[in-house]
Amino acid sequence: MARPMGVLLLLAIVAPLCALSAPASTYRDAAIEAARWIRRAAVTTRAGLTWPPDPAHPDATDATLYTGAPGVVLFLLELHAATGDPDYLDEAKRGADDLIARLPQQEHSGLYTGISGIGFTLGEVHRATRDPRYRDALRTVVRTLETRARRVGAGVQWNDVTDVIGGSAGIGLFLLYASDALEDPTAGSLAVQAADRLLELGIPEHGGLHWAMDPQFPRRMPNFSHGTAGVAYFLAGVYDDTKKRKYLDGALAGARYLQAIAKTEGDICLIPHNQPDGLDLFYLGWCHGPAGTARLWYRLSQSTGDATWMDWMARSARALQQSGIPDARTPGFWNNVSQCCGSAGVAQFFLDLHGITRKPEYLDFARRMTADLLARGMRDERGLRWVQAEHRVRPELLVAQTGYMQGAAGIGMWLLRLDAAERGRKPLVSFPDSPY
């Protein structure tokens, strides 16, 4: 039965007041409610289960990690780890079975847009179940990427895109993951060859290097999802695997470029959304803001042992703390609470920073962001979901999605991570693009 409107309004008012001291079960219970809404949208297929990104359009299914079923599978794995409920694991496996059946039809190779994201998801299902079918499917993805790789210049690429979302940096991060998961030198070798090609594509400027997302795309988006920060992050990962200095030099060159273009007044770090049109536009989330780009600073602190990079982490955090969010809305932080552009990604960054530094102010900020996130949820007898604007430039397009980067699976995953931190439990799933 739906809760009366007065109760819903009371919840919206009380949630921000109580969540700073909310027990861990509050976060887990909210994640379970989100899962209830997602599970109602499940579609049975010949091979297993899938979940449409928008339940209002059940025929529009999606197999990408960004929007589709892989993110739901990963959320269900994490929910099983948090609760022990076998139904979540069973549904995750059925979702993975459907993803295996879809592999031959997937033309794109990217981490968040293609088979690399599916491969990562299948690898995590294998890790949770030890069922060899999922390990075999992960190996199939690596072999497919080996077949698709095009030798260009000094290395290989799968398309003309360089970035983490759909290009060589993200595919390379998956291959580093697969190399460890499978103990497969083929995956590691492909990652190194992708790094060689990216080094060749680096554009010298400001004493460092930057990368275009795509030679055909006129704007430069330097932050994590589509630009230099993500490419440099991948190069640092290849250095950590190979200890070959040229990859670290490439990563450091990317970092120097980002430092040169950053807004640093007031001891903060904000990097413009794009060049040349968006020099005064600063996103705050994972995709184009400090929450994502700070991953490069931390990776470099790990790779070099130089504590100076942690100062850049702190600058990134200060930029967010001083921005006025979650109460304020800015051109770079709109009606979005998800992993990619909004509150969940920002809160995750602060929890990760708290895990590194143990500074209580960071955990407090993560909880504050989460209180606002919970207050924005829509609760009824179907469960919990978030109606939001995926696109900054289309604020009128409001949709409740199921997936990871723009939907309830990603928000639910965040709630389980905060629950795990409160309980002293280590989360199950760690993404290939996370250094934490």
Side-chain angles (χ1 to χ4, degrees):
M1 179 179 296
R3 289 170 172 164
M5 182 58 68
V7 174
L8 292 175
L9 289 173
L10 180 61
L11 285 171
I13 294 169
V14 171
L17 299 177
C18 69
L20 291 181
S21 58
S25 60
T26 299
Y27 306 127
R28 188 174 66 178
D29 290 347
I32 291 171
E33 285 190 72
R36 182 154 56 91
W37 179 74
I38 294 170
R39 294 166 80 195
R40 286 176 64 94
V43 175
T44 300
T45 69
R46 289 184 178 182
L49 285 179
T50 192
W51 300 264
D54 180 356
H57 301 282
D59 294 332
T61 58
D62 187 296
T64 68
L65 180 56
Y66 191 94
T67 304
V72 176
V73 170
L74 293 170
F75 173 42
L76 292 171
L77 288 180
E78 195 69 63
L79 200 51
H80 171 256
T83 66
D85 187 333
D87 288 345
Y88 295 132
L89 184 60
D90 178 66
E91 290 179 24
K93 290 169 63 177
R94 293 175 67 193
D97 292 342
D98 182 74
L99 290 173
I100 292 173
R102 290 173 186 262
L103 275 174
Q105 289 79 48
Q106 302 306 306
E107 298 179 356
H108 297 288
S109 298
L111 177 59
Y112 283 96
T113 61
I115 63 169
S116 293
I118 297 174
F120 164 64
T121 303
L122 296 172
E124 291 302 283
V125 176
H126 173 259
R127 194 160 66 88
T129 65
R130 295 303 171 187
D131 187 326
R133 291 185 302 122
Y134 303 117
R135 182 181 176 89
D136 291 344
L138 171 58
R139 187 174 287 108
T140 296
V141 172
V142 172
R143 296 293 176 255
T144 302
L145 289 173
E146 182 181 21
T147 301
R148 290 182 181 180
R150 292 187 287 121
R151 178 154 295 281
V152 183
V156 301
Q157 62 187 47
W158 292 265
N159 51 43
D160 291 332
V161 182
T162 62
D163 69 15
V164 165
I165 291 287
S168 291
I171 296 168
L173 287 169
F174 163 70
L175 288 167
L176 292 177
Y177 164 87
S179 178
D180 288 341
L182 296 171
E183 298 180 348
D184 181 357
T186 300
S189 174
L190 281 172
V192 168
Q193 293 175 70
D196 288 337
R197 176 59 178 159
L198 287 169
L199 285 175
E200 187 176 49
L201 291 172
I203 303 166
E205 191 173 344
H206 292 307
L209 292 173
H210 69 99
W211 284 264
M213 181 187 75
D214 181 329
Q216 306 304 315
F217 193 71
R219 290 188 296 171
R220 300 290 183 265
M221 294 182 287
N223 284 282
F224 194 77
S225 63
H226 288 308
T228 296
V231 174
Y233 178 91
F234 166 58
L235 293 175
V238 174
Y239 166 74
D240 290 343
D241 263 27
T242 66
K243 300 306 178 187
K244 292 185 178 179
R245 180 74 197 194
K246 66 178 181 177
Y247 303 117
L248 180 59
D249 288 344
L252 291 169
R256 286 196 301 273
Y257 173 81
L258 294 170
Q259 290 171 318
I261 66 170
K263 178 181 179 181
T264 57
E265 298 88 347
D267 203 27
I268 65 170
C269 177
L270 283 171
I271 293 167
H273 175 268
N274 73 81
Q275 303 156 312
D277 302 324
L279 297 178
D280 296 320
L281 175 61
F282 298 97
Y283 276 30
L284 302 182
W286 172 90
C287 52
H288 300 288
T293 295
R295 294 183 174 200
L296 173 61
W297 311 139
Y298 186 55
R299 173 67 88 181
L300 290 176
S301 76
Q302 294 173 305
S303 299
T304 66
D306 183 352
T308 303
W309 296 111
M310 290 303 298
D311 295 337
W312 286 89
M313 289 277 287
R315 287 184 172 205
S316 299
R318 269 192 295 276
L320 291 163
Q321 290 169 306
Q322 295 173 14
S323 69
I325 64 170
D327 302 319
R329 286 291 170 263
T330 77
F333 196 82
W334 61 98
N335 179 23
N336 189 292
V337 295
S338 286
Q339 287 279 353
C340 182
C341 313
S343 304
V346 172
Q348 180 66 63
F349 167 55
F350 276 89
L351 180 65
D352 291 330
L353 194 50
H354 173 261
I356 297 164
T357 67
R358 310 313 299 176
K359 290 184 178 180
E361 66 191 83
Y362 295 140
L363 181 58
D364 289 345
F365 197 80
R367 288 170 172 163
R368 184 180 172 194
M369 294 297 301
T370 306
D372 181 75
L373 179 157
L374 288 172
R376 292 173 182 274
M378 179 182 291
R379 297 173 174 86
D380 59 22
E381 72 281 358
R382 293 180 290 169
L384 175 60
R385 68 272 194 197
W386 288 263
V387 180
Q388 60 180 351
E390 177 176 349
H391 307 288
R392 174 183 63 85
V393 296
R394 296 194 65 187
E396 78 287 353
L397 183 60
L398 300 174
V399 181
Q401 296 189 43
T402 61
Y404 185 80
M405 276 299 195
Q406 295 289 352
I411 298 169
M413 183 77 87
W414 155 244
L415 293 169
L416 291 176
R417 287 169 177 161
L418 184 54
D419 172 80
E422 300 280 10
R423 295 173 185 273
R425 179 179 68 82
K426 185 177 179 180
L428 175 69
V429 178
S430 179
F431 278 64
D433 59 347
S434 175
Y436 304 115

